Amino acid sequence: MPLFTGDTFSAELDQLTAGLAQVLFPIVVLLGLNGLCVGILNAYDHFTIPAFAPLAWNLVIIAVLVVRNPRGLRVAA
């Protein structure tokens, strides 16, 4: 990860950046596949499922954050 962060990041920040990249890069692939599926469904005049896809995506993200949050439901404001 130092290739992308340069010399300004410490070793700890490089570790955090690498961990975040490992989480976010697969999401890019999933969103690309989602866009492909939505395009196919729109081509066949099926508009209901693509309209609810962002809602389902956000609900899954919220559920994962609640389940995997080690501190419970306390969120920093």
Side-chain angles (χ1 to χ4, degrees):
M1 214 29 87
L3 174 68
F4 298 110
T5 59
D7 295 333
T8 58
F9 277 27
S10 66
E12 182 181 347
L13 284 176
D14 280 338
Q15 291 284 342
L16 288 172
T17 304
L20 185 62
Q22 289 174 353
V23 171
L24 291 180
F25 286 152
I27 291 173
V28 172
V29 173
L30 289 175
L31 288 175
L33 291 173
N34 180 43
L36 181 65
C37 292
V38 165
I40 291 170
L41 288 170
N42 281 335
Y44 286 109
D45 292 331
H46 293 280
F47 301 111
T48 306
I49 294 173
F52 286 117
L55 175 67
W57 179 256
N58 288 331
L59 289 175
V60 167
I61 290 173
I62 291 169
V64 168
L65 288 175
V66 168
V67 169
R68 295 203 54 187
N69 187 359
R71 296 180 290 152
L73 293 176
R74 288 176 277 144
V75 178

